[in-house]
Amino acid sequence: MEIPIPVKVQGEHSTSGINEKPFVIPSLREWFGYEGKFKLTNQSRIVVDEKSASSLMKSAKIFQSDIEKIALIKPKVLIGKPKKGDIFLTLNGNLDELGNEGYLLTIQDFVMINAAQYKGAFWGTRTILQLLENDKSHSFLPKGITRDYPKYEVRGFVIDLGRKYFTLDFIRDYVKLMSYYKMGDFQLHLSDNAFARHFDNDWDKTYSGFRLENETFPNLPTPGEYYSKKDFIDLQILAENYGITIIPEIDVPAHSLAFTKAFPQIASAAYGKDHLDINNPETYTIIEKVFKEYLEGDNPVFRGKEIHIGTDEYNKKEAESFRKFTDHFIKYVQTFGKEVRVWGALTHADGVTPVTNKGVTMNAWYNGYADPIKMKALGYPLISTPDGWLYIVPAAGYYYDYLNLKKIYENWEPVNIGKITFKMGDPFIRGGMFAVWNDVAKNGITAQDVTDRVFPALQVLSEKMWSGKDESVPFTVFSAKAKMINEDPSINLRGKIESENKLVLNYKLDGKDKSLKVNSNASFKKQENRKVLNFENKQSITNLPVNEIGYNYTVCFKINPSQNNTANSVLFKSNHAVVKLKQGSTSNIGFSHEGKDYDFGVSIPENQWTAVAISGDNNSTSLYLNGKLAKKLSRQRVATGNKTDSIYVMKTLFFPLKSIGDGENSFVGKMKDLKVFNHILSETQILGIKEED
């Protein structure tokens, strides 16, 4: 028997109306379709209700920018009353009916988003953007009315920053990506460490990370791999504008090697240096000071109302001490007016020492560590984060490399925690979160590889956490339609280049390509019956109109390198990667990204033309020379030096296309016939590419 859910407002319509319910992610909870379409034109405006202007103007400006990117129309933003063709934003909604995140969207002669709170209005703008994206002309919206609201309060994603550093720009882009799918909680796991067994069982060699500036203990943050406090505050403000709540997590007392490297005296002698010595009073003093720096003052570094303090996987022999530590830091963080989230582990650490539950929410990830039924009985609200369903651990060989999306779509929603299913509407189930854990540090997984795993999961889990299970839409239908919805309009994390054809870029490099920008050290030189791009020295560069292309792709070009090109001479470059004519001190073509170098093991002949093709998918990168496969780099199991231990090392590449050369250490020589396909070509197809006259 399900727990009854009170319905405050009855629906007005018994049918879905004339226009069928449009497809967006997450799906609209209620829809009644009118007849006809609304058209966005150059005369359309974004009008903000005067009573709501102080709250909604930021939302309107973001919305304006996003519409311009999708529809190539930049509506004026103004305060006033709407006319035909306008989009009207107001906060005149009923809070009891809509809650903090619900909204009424009416599409008639003008479009109206009516919400009770900022977040609901912002979610309404995301729905309109997806509707515009789905329309081939990016101009029309189906007329109708929807009341849309989430089934679960917490709909989130956890990213492990402790074992893999991601740039602040990447995190900011993820805020926008999550917002586009109405995923409201973004948990940043700011501290952690890799496994010692992957580093010769030597804690001093084992990778660890602490990602936030700390003035009290300047030696705590990982050098070169942390965020300033100002940048972190700005990130949270950005997130608030996009309807996202940042949940910062500092993980103690296990997963704490970053702390013990900075303070060796608080490392556990019994359980390993990734464990804090929780029986040492100095441990309490240091950890309190770390939290205090981020929580104190009128403008604290941690802006939100909830803070995650970790508390997981400590050795169970210290159950009572662990419980004491957990209770202490819950109460300590609460003295700053915050609520607390924990991983808990109170079944694993069974004991008699009380751990407060007031103002505490538990991520229920593994029932053996925190039995969800017992945790509910103890009074802890739960966030369903089950490892057997929702844990991505890239290229680790355990958990999921890619989530089983069909299984999740058909069988999971947040009331499911492991093998336990709570009654629908149970007030102790706040919602759900999925996670990426970068357990295997330094294994070649890039930020782009993480996104390749996260994006399809985000689409499915957004649906499951907002709307729940919908058997009327089979997974095959959902999956096919989901391919039509991309990322937030201002980002392209997956490196997609859209085109009606598989050939997405085609440059003869003969000087007639208007979209290319060539600097003074490059020219177009006559070669036989045509001109080719000539790089005269290392300062040569040609800028291309895109940054990169993601999986799956094939990039083809012909190159004639001069003699004596220098080490690391650049063929192509992006914000994320470099393809090199000579990788390091070798003469071999290769590529580099995120501090790692990859070598194809073959060189490009000097003073002669060679047809080069490079293709890449999420598991491999292949090099073809003159139409024949020369080398395929695939994920490889590599011994770590510790007995029989090994890890998978990835050798993938988002192909860089921001520039040919880099203007500093560019290759010297000639290039022609650059072709980029958003498709992996076969060897036969590559061999069949003819030179253009």
Side-chain angles (χ1 to χ4, degrees), residues 84-139:
K84 182 178 180 180
D86 290 343
I87 301 174
F88 183 55
L89 307 181
T90 181
L91 293 179
N92 196 35
N94 186 315
L95 184 62
D96 289 337
E97 176 187 345
L98 297 172
N100 293 329
E101 298 187 80
Y103 62 95
L104 286 167
L105 172 61
T106 307
I107 306 171
Q108 291 183 302
D109 289 341
F110 67 87
V111 176
M112 181 171 69
I113 299 172
N114 186 11
Q117 299 287 343
Y118 177 93
K119 188 179 285 191
F122 196 82
W123 292 157
T125 68
R126 305 301 92 181
T127 296
I128 291 174
L129 292 171
Q130 288 195 18
L131 292 174
L132 288 172
E133 185 182 357
N134 270 334
D135 177 61
K136 290 183 178 180
S137 69
H138 307 311
S139 300

Coordinates of all heavy atoms in Angstrom, one line a residue, residues 84-139:
K84 N 1.1 40.3 -27.9 CA 1.2 39.1 -28.7 C 2.7 38.9 -29.2 O 3.3 39.8 -29.6 CB 0.3 39.2 -29.9 CG 0.3 38.0 -30.9 CD -0.7 38.2 -32.0 CE -0.7 37.0 -32.9 NZ -1.7 37.2 -34.1
G85 N 3.1 37.6 -29.1 CA 4.5 37.3 -29.6 C 5.5 37.4 -28.5 O 6.7 37.0 -28.7
D86 N 5.1 37.9 -27.3 CA 6.1 38.0 -26.2 C 6.2 36.8 -25.3 O 5.3 35.9 -25.4 CB 5.7 39.2 -25.3 CG 5.9 40.6 -26.0 OD1 6.6 40.6 -27.0 OD2 5.3 41.6 -25.5
I87 N 7.2 36.8 -24.4 CA 7.3 35.8 -23.4 C 7.3 36.6 -22.1 O 8.1 37.4 -21.8 CB 8.6 34.9 -23.5 CG1 8.6 34.2 -24.8 CG2 8.7 33.9 -22.4 CD1 9.9 33.5 -25.1
F88 N 6.4 36.2 -21.2 CA 6.1 37.0 -20.0 C 6.5 36.1 -18.8 O 6.1 35.0 -18.6 CB 4.6 37.3 -19.9 CG 4.2 38.2 -18.7 CD1 4.9 39.4 -18.4 CD2 3.2 37.7 -17.8 CE1 4.5 40.1 -17.3 CE2 2.8 38.5 -16.8 CZ 3.5 39.7 -16.5
L89 N 7.3 36.7 -17.9 CA 7.8 36.1 -16.6 C 7.2 36.7 -15.4 O 7.3 38.0 -15.3 CB 9.3 36.1 -16.5 CG 10.1 35.6 -17.7 CD1 11.6 35.7 -17.4 CD2 9.8 34.2 -18.1
T90 N 6.6 36.0 -14.5 CA 6.0 36.5 -13.3 C 6.1 35.5 -12.2 O 6.1 34.3 -12.4 CB 4.5 36.9 -13.6 OG1 4.0 37.5 -12.4 CG2 3.7 35.7 -14.0
L91 N 6.1 36.1 -11.0 CA 6.0 35.3 -9.8 C 4.7 35.5 -9.1 O 4.6 35.8 -7.9 CB 7.2 35.7 -8.8 CG 8.6 35.4 -9.3 CD1 9.7 35.8 -8.3 CD2 8.8 33.9 -9.6
N92 N 3.6 35.3 -9.8 CA 2.3 35.4 -9.3 C 1.7 34.1 -9.0 O 0.5 34.0 -8.8 CB 1.4 36.2 -10.3 CG 0.2 36.8 -9.7 OD1 0.2 37.2 -8.5 ND2 -0.9 36.8 -10.4
G93 N 2.5 33.0 -8.9 CA 2.0 31.7 -8.7 C 1.7 31.4 -7.2 O 2.2 32.1 -6.3
N94 N 0.9 30.4 -7.0 CA 0.4 30.0 -5.7 C 1.5 29.0 -5.1 O 1.7 27.9 -5.7 CB -0.9 29.3 -5.8 CG -1.5 28.9 -4.4 OD1 -0.8 28.4 -3.6 ND2 -2.8 29.2 -4.2
L95 N 2.1 29.4 -4.0 CA 3.2 28.5 -3.5 C 2.6 27.2 -3.0 O 3.3 26.1 -3.2 CB 3.8 29.2 -2.3 CG 5.0 28.5 -1.6 CD1 6.2 28.4 -2.6 CD2 5.5 29.3 -0.4
D96 N 1.4 27.1 -2.5 CA 0.9 25.8 -2.0 C 0.6 24.9 -3.2 O 0.7 23.7 -3.1 CB -0.4 26.1 -1.3 CG -0.2 26.7 0.1 OD1 0.9 26.5 0.6 OD2 -1.2 27.3 0.6
E97 N 0.3 25.5 -4.4 CA 0.0 24.7 -5.6 C 1.3 24.3 -6.3 O 1.4 23.1 -6.7 CB -0.8 25.5 -6.5 CG -1.1 24.8 -7.8 CD -1.8 25.7 -8.8 OE1 -2.4 26.8 -8.4 OE2 -1.8 25.4 -10.0
L98 N 2.2 25.2 -6.4 CA 3.4 25.0 -7.2 C 4.7 24.6 -6.5 O 5.6 24.0 -7.0 CB 3.7 26.3 -8.1 CG 2.6 26.6 -9.1 CD1 2.9 28.0 -9.7 CD2 2.4 25.6 -10.1
G99 N 4.7 25.0 -5.2 CA 6.0 24.7 -4.4 C 7.1 25.6 -4.9 O 6.9 26.6 -5.7
N100 N 8.3 25.3 -4.4 CA 9.5 26.2 -4.8 C 9.9 26.0 -6.2 O 10.5 26.9 -6.7 CB 10.6 25.8 -3.8 CG 10.4 26.2 -2.4 OD1 9.7 27.2 -2.1 ND2 10.9 25.4 -1.5
E101 N 9.6 24.9 -6.8 CA 10.1 24.6 -8.1 C 9.1 24.4 -9.3 O 9.5 24.2 -10.4 CB 11.0 23.3 -8.1 CG 12.2 23.4 -7.1 CD 13.1 22.2 -7.2 OE1 13.9 22.1 -8.2 OE2 12.9 21.3 -6.4
G102 N 7.9 24.5 -8.9 CA 6.8 24.3 -9.9 C 6.5 25.6 -10.7 O 6.9 26.7 -10.2
Y103 N 5.9 25.4 -11.8 CA 5.6 26.6 -12.6 C 4.4 26.3 -13.5 O 4.1 25.1 -13.8 CB 6.7 27.1 -13.5 CG 7.2 26.0 -14.5 CD1 6.7 26.0 -15.8 CD2 8.1 25.0 -14.1 CE1 7.1 25.0 -16.7 CE2 8.5 24.0 -15.0 CZ 8.0 24.0 -16.3 OH 8.4 23.0 -17.2
L104 N 3.6 27.3 -13.9 CA 2.6 27.2 -14.9 C 3.1 27.8 -16.2 O 3.6 29.0 -16.2 CB 1.3 27.9 -14.4 CG 0.5 27.3 -13.4 CD1 -0.5 28.3 -12.8 CD2 -0.2 26.0 -13.9
L105 N 3.1 27.1 -17.3 CA 3.5 27.6 -18.6 C 2.3 27.6 -19.5 O 1.7 26.5 -19.8 CB 4.6 26.7 -19.1 CG 5.1 27.0 -20.6 CD1 5.6 28.4 -20.7 CD2 6.1 25.9 -21.0
T106 N 1.9 28.8 -19.9 CA 0.8 28.9 -20.8 C 1.3 29.5 -22.2 O 2.0 30.5 -22.2 CB -0.3 29.9 -20.3 OG1 -0.6 29.5 -19.0 CG2 -1.5 30.0 -21.2
I107 N 1.0 28.7 -23.2 CA 1.5 29.1 -24.6 C 0.3 29.4 -25.4 O -0.4 28.5 -25.9 CB 2.4 28.0 -25.2 CG1 3.5 27.6 -24.3 CG2 2.9 28.5 -26.6 CD1 4.3 26.4 -24.7
Q108 N 0.0 30.7 -25.6 CA -1.1 31.1 -26.5 C -0.6 32.2 -27.4 O 0.5 32.0 -28.1 CB -2.3 31.6 -25.6 CG -2.9 30.4 -24.9 CD -4.1 30.8 -24.1 OE1 -4.1 31.7 -23.2 NE2 -5.3 30.2 -24.4
D109 N -1.3 33.3 -27.5 CA -0.7 34.4 -28.3 C 0.5 35.0 -27.8 O 1.4 35.5 -28.5 CB -1.8 35.5 -28.5 CG -3.0 35.1 -29.3 OD1 -2.8 34.1 -30.1 OD2 -4.0 35.7 -29.2
F110 N 0.7 34.9 -26.5 CA 2.0 35.2 -25.9 C 2.2 34.0 -24.9 O 1.3 33.3 -24.6 CB 2.1 36.5 -25.2 CG 1.2 36.7 -24.0 CD1 1.6 36.3 -22.7 CD2 -0.1 37.3 -24.1 CE1 0.8 36.5 -21.6 CE2 -0.9 37.4 -23.0 CZ -0.5 37.0 -21.7
V111 N 3.5 33.9 -24.5 CA 3.9 32.8 -23.6 C 4.0 33.4 -22.2 O 4.6 34.4 -22.0 CB 5.2 32.2 -24.0 CG1 5.7 31.1 -23.0 CG2 5.1 31.6 -25.4
M112 N 3.4 32.7 -21.2 CA 3.6 33.1 -19.8 C 4.1 32.0 -18.9 O 3.6 30.9 -18.9 CB 2.2 33.6 -19.2 CG 2.3 34.1 -17.8 SD 0.8 34.8 -17.2 CE -0.2 33.4 -17.1
I113 N 5.2 32.4 -18.2 CA 5.7 31.5 -17.2 C 5.3 32.1 -15.8 O 5.7 33.3 -15.5 CB 7.3 31.4 -17.2 CG1 7.7 30.8 -18.6 CG2 7.8 30.5 -16.1 CD1 9.2 30.8 -18.7
N114 N 4.5 31.4 -15.1 CA 4.1 31.9 -13.8 C 4.5 30.9 -12.7 O 4.1 29.7 -12.7 CB 2.5 32.0 -13.8 CG 2.0 32.7 -12.5 OD1 2.8 33.2 -11.7 ND2 0.7 32.7 -12.3
A115 N 5.3 31.4 -11.8 CA 5.8 30.5 -10.7 C 5.6 31.3 -9.4 O 5.3 32.4 -9.3 CB 7.3 30.2 -10.9
A116 N 5.9 30.5 -8.3 CA 5.9 31.1 -7.0 C 7.3 31.6 -6.5 O 7.4 32.4 -5.6 CB 5.3 30.1 -6.0
Q117 N 8.3 30.9 -7.0 CA 9.7 31.2 -6.6 C 10.6 31.3 -7.8 O 10.2 30.8 -8.9 CB 10.2 30.1 -5.7 CG 9.4 29.9 -4.4 CD 9.6 31.0 -3.4 OE1 10.6 31.8 -3.5 NE2 8.8 31.1 -2.4
Y118 N 11.7 31.9 -7.7 CA 12.7 32.1 -8.8 C 13.0 30.8 -9.5 O 13.0 30.7 -10.7 CB 14.0 32.7 -8.2 CG 15.1 32.9 -9.3 CD1 15.2 34.1 -10.0 CD2 16.0 31.9 -9.6 CE1 16.2 34.3 -10.9 CE2 16.9 32.0 -10.5 CZ 17.0 33.2 -11.2 OH 18.0 33.4 -12.2
K119 N 13.3 29.7 -8.7 CA 13.7 28.5 -9.3 C 12.6 27.9 -10.2 O 12.9 27.4 -11.3 CB 14.1 27.5 -8.2 CG 14.7 26.2 -8.8 CD 15.1 25.2 -7.7 CE 16.3 25.6 -7.0 NZ 16.8 24.5 -6.1
G120 N 11.4 28.0 -9.8 CA 10.3 27.5 -10.7 C 10.2 28.3 -12.0 O 10.1 27.7 -13.1
A121 N 10.4 29.6 -11.9 CA 10.4 30.4 -13.2 C 11.5 30.1 -14.1 O 11.4 30.0 -15.3 CB 10.4 31.9 -12.8
F122 N 12.7 29.8 -13.4 CA 13.9 29.5 -14.2 C 13.7 28.1 -14.9 O 14.0 28.0 -16.1 CB 15.1 29.5 -13.4 CG 16.4 29.5 -14.2 CD1 16.9 30.7 -14.7 CD2 17.1 28.3 -14.5 CE1 18.0 30.7 -15.5 CE2 18.2 28.4 -15.3 CZ 18.7 29.6 -15.8
W123 N 13.1 27.2 -14.2 CA 12.8 25.9 -14.8 C 11.9 26.0 -16.0 O 12.1 25.3 -17.0 CB 12.2 24.9 -13.8 CG 13.1 24.4 -12.7 CD1 12.6 23.9 -11.5 CD2 14.5 24.3 -12.6 NE1 13.7 23.5 -10.7 CE2 14.8 23.7 -11.4 CE3 15.6 24.6 -13.5 CZ2 16.2 23.5 -11.0 CZ3 16.9 24.4 -13.1 CH2 17.2 23.8 -11.9
G124 N 11.0 27.0 -15.9 CA 10.1 27.2 -17.1 C 10.8 27.7 -18.3 O 10.5 27.3 -19.4
T125 N 11.9 28.5 -18.1 CA 12.7 29.0 -19.2 C 13.4 27.8 -19.9 O 13.6 27.8 -21.1 CB 13.7 30.1 -18.8 OG1 14.7 29.6 -18.0 CG2 13.0 31.2 -18.2
R126 N 13.8 26.8 -19.1 CA 14.6 25.7 -19.6 C 13.6 24.8 -20.5 O 14.0 24.3 -21.5 CB 15.1 24.8 -18.5 CG 16.0 25.5 -17.5 CD 17.3 26.1 -18.1 NE 17.0 27.5 -18.4 CZ 17.9 28.3 -19.0 NH1 19.1 27.8 -19.3 NH2 17.7 29.5 -19.3
T127 N 12.4 24.7 -20.1 CA 11.4 24.0 -20.9 C 11.2 24.7 -22.2 O 11.2 24.0 -23.3 CB 10.0 23.9 -20.1 OG1 10.2 23.1 -18.9 CG2 9.0 23.3 -21.0
I128 N 11.1 26.0 -22.2 CA 10.9 26.7 -23.5 C 12.1 26.5 -24.4 O 11.9 26.3 -25.6 CB 10.6 28.2 -23.2 CG1 9.3 28.4 -22.6 CG2 10.7 29.0 -24.5 CD1 9.0 29.8 -22.2
L129 N 13.3 26.5 -23.8 CA 14.5 26.4 -24.7 C 14.5 25.0 -25.3 O 14.9 24.8 -26.5 CB 15.7 26.6 -23.8 CG 16.0 28.0 -23.3 CD1 17.1 28.0 -22.3 CD2 16.3 28.9 -24.5
Q130 N 14.1 23.9 -24.5 CA 14.1 22.6 -25.1 C 13.0 22.5 -26.2 O 13.2 21.8 -27.2 CB 13.8 21.6 -24.0 CG 15.0 21.3 -23.1 CD 14.9 20.1 -22.3 OE1 14.1 19.2 -22.6 NE2 15.7 20.0 -21.2
L131 N 11.9 23.1 -26.0 CA 10.9 23.1 -27.1 C 11.4 23.8 -28.3 O 11.1 23.3 -29.4 CB 9.6 23.8 -26.6 CG 8.8 23.1 -25.4 CD1 7.7 24.0 -24.9 CD2 8.3 21.8 -25.9
L132 N 12.1 24.9 -28.2 CA 12.7 25.6 -29.3 C 13.7 24.7 -30.0 O 13.8 24.7 -31.2 CB 13.3 26.9 -28.9 CG 12.3 28.1 -28.6 CD1 13.0 29.2 -28.0 CD2 11.5 28.5 -29.8
E133 N 14.5 24.1 -29.2 CA 15.6 23.2 -29.7 C 15.0 22.1 -30.6 O 15.5 21.7 -31.6 CB 16.4 22.6 -28.6 CG 17.6 21.8 -29.0 CD 18.4 21.2 -27.9 OE1 18.0 21.5 -26.7 OE2 19.3 20.5 -28.1
N134 N 13.8 21.5 -30.1 CA 13.2 20.4 -30.8 C 12.5 20.8 -32.1 O 12.3 20.0 -33.0 CB 12.1 19.8 -29.9 CG 12.7 18.7 -29.0 OD1 13.7 18.0 -29.4 ND2 12.1 18.4 -27.9
D135 N 12.2 22.1 -32.3 CA 11.6 22.6 -33.5 C 12.7 22.8 -34.5 O 13.7 23.5 -34.3 CB 10.8 23.9 -33.2 CG 10.2 24.5 -34.5 OD1 9.4 23.8 -35.1 OD2 10.6 25.6 -34.8
K136 N 12.5 22.3 -35.7 CA 13.5 22.4 -36.8 C 13.9 23.8 -37.1 O 15.1 24.1 -37.4 CB 13.0 21.7 -38.0 CG 13.0 20.2 -37.9 CD 12.6 19.5 -39.2 CE 12.6 18.0 -39.0 NZ 12.2 17.3 -40.3
S137 N 12.9 24.7 -37.0 CA 13.2 26.2 -37.3 C 13.6 26.9 -36.1 O 14.0 28.1 -36.2 CB 12.0 26.8 -38.0 OG 10.9 26.9 -37.0
H138 N 13.5 26.3 -34.9 CA 13.8 26.9 -33.6 C 13.0 28.2 -33.4 O 13.5 29.1 -32.8 CB 15.3 27.2 -33.5 CG 16.2 26.1 -33.8 ND1 16.1 24.9 -33.2 CD2 17.3 26.0 -34.6 CE1 17.0 24.0 -33.6 NE2 17.8 24.7 -34.5
S139 N 11.8 28.1 -33.9 CA 10.9 29.3 -33.8 C 9.5 29.0 -33.2 O 8.9 30.0 -32.7 CB 10.7 29.9 -35.2 OG 11.9 30.3 -35.8

